[in-house]
Amino acid sequence: MIIEPRMRGFICLTSHPKGCEQNVLNQIDYVKSQGKIAGAKKVLVIGASTGFGLASRITSAFGSDAATIGVFFEKAPAAGKTASPGYYNSLAFEAAAGRAGLYAKSINGDAFSNEVKSQTIDLIKADLGQIDLVIYSLASPVRQHPVSGVLHRSVLKPIGDTFSDKTVDFHTGIVSEVTITPCNDEDIENTVAVMGGEDWQMWMDALLNAGVLADGAMTVAYSYIGPKVTEPVYRKGTIGMAKDHLESTAFKITEGLANIGGKAFVSVNKALVTQASSAIPVIPLYISLLYKIMKAKGTHEGCIEQIQRLFSARLYTNGTIPVDEKGRIRIDDWEMDEAVQKEVAELWKGATTENLPGIGDLNGYKSDFLNLFGFGIDGVDYAAEANELIEIPGLITVEK
């Protein structure tokens, strides 16, 4: 079939298998071009199919020759219907890993569930014995609690006061005012349940109790802080409460890993175009302005550049891992540079529909968004028929 992008709001309903493959191959080429990293050799990535999780799996495999297990929840293809992009990404990754002689297997199912945790542990025991690194990179808006059975839904709301500020519809380029009413206590509770650190802790406890963590094993979860302009609706809102919980959980996990000399870290990453960030009001406008400034300064990074730098310059330097006053790794340092943030704040004040094409990088934002779904990738013939039905050989699918 001829596959074209079909949009609904901030979601693309289709994905292109060849485009996703080329996107993955481009990331692999980048990692290989940067030289070897003396990193972990047996790696579990929870949330491995897109964004920072996919970049972590690629960096581990092609930067450190690591065996990797990826856990994700993606839609398989059906006749006339494409798979979700993460499915095609993972297929392309596994194929490339196989060509390179690297172990790579994947589990498709709800990572919040006990069933997926159990299946993952069984796979580690059977194939790898123990693992050295666990990357936790889940980005789901919903979580069914594995003990209570309660379905929690996260919300993006400010705490205390109504929030009003600018945003942009990145499809049309129209800058407008957005207003978000404040949350209630239940909203906070649900958002922390979905996006906080409880599930990360459950994963690490399960892996530790099963004896599949090697001595000195490390785990890293990803977080975000962001600028003053997004603070009321992000870092000081419901999601910020969840991020605070995630970050505090790192210390609890480190305590639990003391007997094996293990450690847990939270890495605060850069603002990037992802399916999750595209749904957050204000963020697309901020990223458009940020991209323009950082590209001009030569400091812009996509997911793969960001994670390659995290691994090579922070996690695996044979020295102490540098952290901030709250114990967090800060790989958002170039974004949060004082000069960069000052420029963003100045541009923000005057941003309009008319001048955004000049002062921001909306085209870059749109391009990155399409790339997430395998569209707009150089070297792909989108006029050619594509086989939507390709599947991941040996994929372990876990039904609840």
Side-chain angles (χ1 to χ4, degrees), residues 116-149:
V116 166
K117 291 178 176 69
S118 177
Q119 184 69 59
T120 303
I121 288 168
D122 288 346
L123 182 60
I124 294 168
K125 285 181 175 179
D127 289 4
L128 302 181
Q130 291 185 318
I131 50 175
D132 315 307
L133 174 65
V134 180
I135 296 293
Y136 187 85
S137 186
L138 288 189
S140 170
V142 180
R143 175 188 178 213
Q144 183 169 21
H145 198 283
V147 177
S148 69

CSV table of all heavy atoms in Angstrom, one decimal, residues 116-149:
chain,number,residue,atom,x,y,z
A,116,VAL,N,4.2,-9.0,32.5
A,116,VAL,CA,5.4,-8.5,31.7
A,116,VAL,C,6.7,-8.6,32.5
A,116,VAL,O,7.7,-9.0,32.0
A,116,VAL,CB,5.1,-7.2,31.1
A,116,VAL,CG1,6.4,-6.6,30.5
A,116,VAL,CG2,4.1,-7.3,30.0
A,117,LYS,N,6.6,-8.1,33.8
A,117,LYS,CA,7.8,-8.2,34.6
A,117,LYS,C,8.3,-9.7,34.8
A,117,LYS,O,9.5,-10.0,34.7
A,117,LYS,CB,7.5,-7.6,36.0
A,117,LYS,CG,7.3,-6.1,36.0
A,117,LYS,CD,6.9,-5.6,37.4
A,117,LYS,CE,6.8,-4.1,37.4
A,117,LYS,NZ,5.6,-3.6,36.7
A,118,SER,N,7.3,-10.6,35.0
A,118,SER,CA,7.7,-12.0,35.2
A,118,SER,C,8.3,-12.6,33.9
A,118,SER,O,9.3,-13.3,33.9
A,118,SER,CB,6.4,-12.8,35.6
A,118,SER,OG,6.7,-14.1,35.7
A,119,GLN,N,7.7,-12.2,32.7
A,119,GLN,CA,8.2,-12.8,31.5
A,119,GLN,C,9.6,-12.2,31.2
A,119,GLN,O,10.4,-12.9,30.6
A,119,GLN,CB,7.2,-12.3,30.3
A,119,GLN,CG,7.6,-12.9,29.0
A,119,GLN,CD,7.4,-14.4,28.9
A,119,GLN,OE1,6.3,-14.9,29.1
A,119,GLN,NE2,8.5,-15.1,28.6
A,120,THR,N,9.8,-10.9,31.5
A,120,THR,CA,11.1,-10.3,31.3
A,120,THR,C,12.2,-11.0,32.1
A,120,THR,O,13.3,-11.3,31.6
A,120,THR,CB,11.0,-8.8,31.6
A,120,THR,OG1,10.0,-8.2,30.8
A,120,THR,CG2,12.4,-8.2,31.3
A,121,ILE,N,11.8,-11.3,33.4
A,121,ILE,CA,12.8,-12.0,34.3
A,121,ILE,C,13.1,-13.3,33.7
A,121,ILE,O,14.3,-13.8,33.7
A,121,ILE,CB,12.2,-12.0,35.7
A,121,ILE,CG1,12.3,-10.6,36.3
A,121,ILE,CG2,13.0,-13.0,36.6
A,121,ILE,CD1,11.5,-10.5,37.6
A,122,ASP,N,12.1,-14.1,33.3
A,122,ASP,CA,12.3,-15.4,32.7
A,122,ASP,C,13.3,-15.3,31.5
A,122,ASP,O,14.1,-16.2,31.4
A,122,ASP,CB,11.0,-16.0,32.3
A,122,ASP,CG,10.1,-16.5,33.5
A,122,ASP,OD1,10.7,-16.5,34.6
A,122,ASP,OD2,8.9,-16.7,33.3
A,123,LEU,N,13.1,-14.3,30.7
A,123,LEU,CA,13.9,-14.2,29.5
A,123,LEU,C,15.4,-13.9,29.9
A,123,LEU,O,16.3,-14.4,29.3
A,123,LEU,CB,13.4,-13.1,28.6
A,123,LEU,CG,14.1,-12.8,27.2
A,123,LEU,CD1,14.2,-14.1,26.4
A,123,LEU,CD2,13.5,-11.7,26.5
A,124,ILE,N,15.6,-13.0,30.9
A,124,ILE,CA,16.9,-12.6,31.3
A,124,ILE,C,17.6,-13.9,31.9
A,124,ILE,O,18.7,-14.2,31.5
A,124,ILE,CB,16.9,-11.5,32.4
A,124,ILE,CG1,16.3,-10.2,31.8
A,124,ILE,CG2,18.2,-11.3,33.0
A,124,ILE,CD1,16.0,-9.2,32.9
A,125,LYS,N,16.9,-14.6,32.7
A,125,LYS,CA,17.5,-15.9,33.3
A,125,LYS,C,17.9,-16.9,32.2
A,125,LYS,O,18.9,-17.5,32.2
A,125,LYS,CB,16.4,-16.5,34.2
A,125,LYS,CG,16.3,-15.8,35.6
A,125,LYS,CD,15.3,-16.6,36.4
A,125,LYS,CE,15.2,-15.9,37.8
A,125,LYS,NZ,14.2,-16.7,38.7
A,126,ALA,N,17.0,-17.0,31.2
A,126,ALA,CA,17.3,-18.0,30.1
A,126,ALA,C,18.4,-17.6,29.2
A,126,ALA,O,19.2,-18.5,28.8
A,126,ALA,CB,16.0,-18.2,29.3
A,127,ASP,N,18.5,-16.3,28.9
A,127,ASP,CA,19.4,-15.9,27.8
A,127,ASP,C,20.6,-15.1,28.3
A,127,ASP,O,21.7,-15.3,27.7
A,127,ASP,CB,18.7,-15.0,26.8
A,127,ASP,CG,17.7,-15.8,25.9
A,127,ASP,OD1,17.5,-17.0,26.2
A,127,ASP,OD2,17.1,-15.2,25.0
A,128,LEU,N,20.5,-14.3,29.3
A,128,LEU,CA,21.6,-13.4,29.7
A,128,LEU,C,22.1,-13.7,31.1
A,128,LEU,O,23.2,-13.3,31.5
A,128,LEU,CB,21.1,-12.0,29.7
A,128,LEU,CG,20.6,-11.5,28.3
A,128,LEU,CD1,20.3,-10.0,28.4
A,128,LEU,CD2,21.7,-11.7,27.2
A,129,GLY,N,21.3,-14.4,32.0
A,129,GLY,CA,21.7,-14.6,33.3
A,129,GLY,C,21.5,-13.4,34.2
A,129,GLY,O,20.6,-13.5,35.1
A,130,GLN,N,22.3,-12.4,34.0
A,130,GLN,CA,22.1,-11.1,34.8
A,130,GLN,C,22.3,-9.9,33.9
A,130,GLN,O,22.9,-10.1,32.8
A,130,GLN,CB,23.1,-11.1,35.9
A,130,GLN,CG,22.9,-12.1,37.0
A,130,GLN,CD,23.8,-11.9,38.2
A,130,GLN,OE1,25.0,-11.7,38.0
A,130,GLN,NE2,23.3,-12.0,39.4
A,131,ILE,N,21.8,-8.8,34.3
A,131,ILE,CA,21.9,-7.6,33.5
A,131,ILE,C,22.7,-6.5,34.3
A,131,ILE,O,22.7,-6.5,35.5
A,131,ILE,CB,20.6,-7.0,33.0
A,131,ILE,CG1,19.6,-6.9,34.2
A,131,ILE,CG2,20.0,-7.9,31.9
A,131,ILE,CD1,18.3,-6.3,33.9
A,132,ASP,N,23.4,-5.6,33.6
A,132,ASP,CA,24.2,-4.6,34.2
A,132,ASP,C,23.5,-3.2,34.2
A,132,ASP,O,23.9,-2.4,35.0
A,132,ASP,CB,25.5,-4.4,33.4
A,132,ASP,CG,26.2,-5.7,32.9
A,132,ASP,OD1,26.4,-6.5,33.8
A,132,ASP,OD2,26.4,-5.9,31.7
A,133,LEU,N,22.6,-3.0,33.3
A,133,LEU,CA,22.0,-1.7,33.2
A,133,LEU,C,20.5,-1.8,33.0
A,133,LEU,O,20.1,-2.6,32.1
A,133,LEU,CB,22.6,-0.9,32.1
A,133,LEU,CG,22.0,0.5,31.8
A,133,LEU,CD1,22.2,1.5,32.9
A,133,LEU,CD2,22.7,1.1,30.5
A,134,VAL,N,19.7,-1.0,33.7
A,134,VAL,CA,18.2,-1.0,33.4
A,134,VAL,C,17.9,0.5,33.1
A,134,VAL,O,18.1,1.4,33.9
A,134,VAL,CB,17.4,-1.5,34.6
A,134,VAL,CG1,15.9,-1.4,34.3
A,134,VAL,CG2,17.8,-2.9,35.0
A,135,ILE,N,17.4,0.7,31.9
A,135,ILE,CA,16.9,2.0,31.5
A,135,ILE,C,15.3,2.0,31.7
A,135,ILE,O,14.7,1.1,31.1
A,135,ILE,CB,17.2,2.4,30.1
A,135,ILE,CG1,18.8,2.5,29.9
A,135,ILE,CG2,16.6,3.7,29.6
A,135,ILE,CD1,19.4,3.6,30.7
A,136,TYR,N,14.8,3.0,32.4
A,136,TYR,CA,13.4,3.1,32.6
A,136,TYR,C,12.9,4.4,31.9
A,136,TYR,O,13.2,5.5,32.3
A,136,TYR,CB,13.0,3.2,34.1
A,136,TYR,CG,11.6,3.1,34.4
A,136,TYR,CD1,10.9,1.9,34.5
A,136,TYR,CD2,10.8,4.3,34.5
A,136,TYR,CE1,9.5,1.8,34.8
A,136,TYR,CE2,9.4,4.2,34.8
A,136,TYR,CZ,8.8,3.0,34.9
A,136,TYR,OH,7.5,2.9,35.2
A,137,SER,N,12.2,4.1,30.8
A,137,SER,CA,11.8,5.3,29.9
A,137,SER,C,10.3,5.1,29.4
A,137,SER,O,10.0,5.3,28.3
A,137,SER,CB,12.7,5.3,28.7
A,137,SER,OG,12.5,6.4,27.9
A,138,LEU,N,9.4,4.8,30.4
A,138,LEU,CA,8.0,4.7,30.0
A,138,LEU,C,7.4,6.1,29.9
A,138,LEU,O,7.7,7.0,30.7
A,138,LEU,CB,7.3,3.9,31.1
A,138,LEU,CG,7.5,2.4,31.2
A,138,LEU,CD1,6.5,1.8,32.1
A,138,LEU,CD2,7.4,1.8,29.8
A,139,ALA,N,6.5,6.2,28.9
A,139,ALA,CA,5.8,7.5,28.7
A,139,ALA,C,4.3,7.2,28.4
A,139,ALA,O,3.9,7.4,27.2
A,139,ALA,CB,6.4,8.3,27.6
A,140,SER,N,3.6,6.6,29.3
A,140,SER,CA,2.2,6.3,29.1
A,140,SER,C,1.3,7.2,29.9
A,140,SER,O,1.6,7.7,31.0
A,140,SER,CB,1.9,4.9,29.6
A,140,SER,OG,0.5,4.6,29.6
A,141,PRO,N,0.1,7.6,29.3
A,141,PRO,CA,-0.8,8.5,30.0
A,141,PRO,C,-1.7,7.7,31.0
A,141,PRO,O,-2.4,8.3,31.8
A,141,PRO,CB,-1.6,9.1,28.9
A,141,PRO,CG,-1.6,8.1,27.8
A,141,PRO,CD,-0.3,7.4,27.9
A,142,VAL,N,-1.7,6.4,30.9
A,142,VAL,CA,-2.6,5.5,31.7
A,142,VAL,C,-1.8,4.4,32.3
A,142,VAL,O,-0.9,3.8,31.7
A,142,VAL,CB,-3.7,5.0,30.8
A,142,VAL,CG1,-4.7,4.1,31.6
A,142,VAL,CG2,-4.5,6.1,30.1
A,143,ARG,N,-2.2,4.0,33.5
A,143,ARG,CA,-1.6,2.8,34.2
A,143,ARG,C,-2.7,2.1,35.0
A,143,ARG,O,-3.3,2.7,35.9
A,143,ARG,CB,-0.5,3.3,35.1
A,143,ARG,CG,0.1,2.1,36.0
A,143,ARG,CD,1.1,2.7,37.0
A,143,ARG,NE,1.7,1.6,37.8
A,143,ARG,CZ,2.0,1.7,39.1
A,143,ARG,NH1,1.8,2.9,39.7
A,143,ARG,NH2,2.5,0.7,39.8
A,144,GLN,N,-2.8,0.8,34.7
A,144,GLN,CA,-3.6,0.0,35.6
A,144,GLN,C,-2.7,-0.6,36.7
A,144,GLN,O,-1.8,-1.3,36.4
A,144,GLN,CB,-4.3,-1.1,34.8
A,144,GLN,CG,-5.2,-2.0,35.7
A,144,GLN,CD,-6.1,-2.9,34.9
A,144,GLN,OE1,-5.8,-3.3,33.7
A,144,GLN,NE2,-7.2,-3.4,35.5
A,145,HIS,N,-3.0,-0.3,37.9
A,145,HIS,CA,-2.2,-0.7,39.0
A,145,HIS,C,-2.2,-2.2,39.1
A,145,HIS,O,-3.3,-2.8,39.1
A,145,HIS,CB,-2.7,-0.1,40.3
A,145,HIS,CG,-1.6,-0.1,41.4
A,145,HIS,ND1,-1.3,-1.3,42.1
A,145,HIS,CD2,-0.8,0.9,41.8
A,145,HIS,CE1,-0.4,-1.0,43.0
A,145,HIS,NE2,0.0,0.3,42.8
A,146,PRO,N,-1.0,-2.9,39.2
A,146,PRO,CA,-1.0,-4.3,39.2
A,146,PRO,C,-1.5,-5.0,40.4
A,146,PRO,O,-1.8,-6.2,40.4
A,146,PRO,CB,0.5,-4.6,39.0
A,146,PRO,CG,1.2,-3.5,39.5
A,146,PRO,CD,0.3,-2.3,39.2
A,147,VAL,N,-1.6,-4.2,41.5
A,147,VAL,CA,-2.1,-4.8,42.8
A,147,VAL,C,-3.6,-4.4,43.0
A,147,VAL,O,-4.4,-5.3,43.2
A,147,VAL,CB,-1.3,-4.3,44.0
A,147,VAL,CG1,-1.8,-4.8,45.3
A,147,VAL,CG2,0.2,-4.7,43.8
A,148,SER,N,-3.9,-3.1,42.9
A,148,SER,CA,-5.3,-2.7,43.2
A,148,SER,C,-6.2,-2.9,42.0
A,148,SER,O,-7.4,-3.0,42.2
A,148,SER,CB,-5.3,-1.2,43.6
A,148,SER,OG,-5.0,-0.4,42.5
A,149,GLY,N,-5.7,-2.9,40.8
A,149,GLY,CA,-6.5,-3.0,39.6
A,149,GLY,C,-7.1,-1.7,39.2
A,149,GLY,O,-7.8,-1.6,38.1
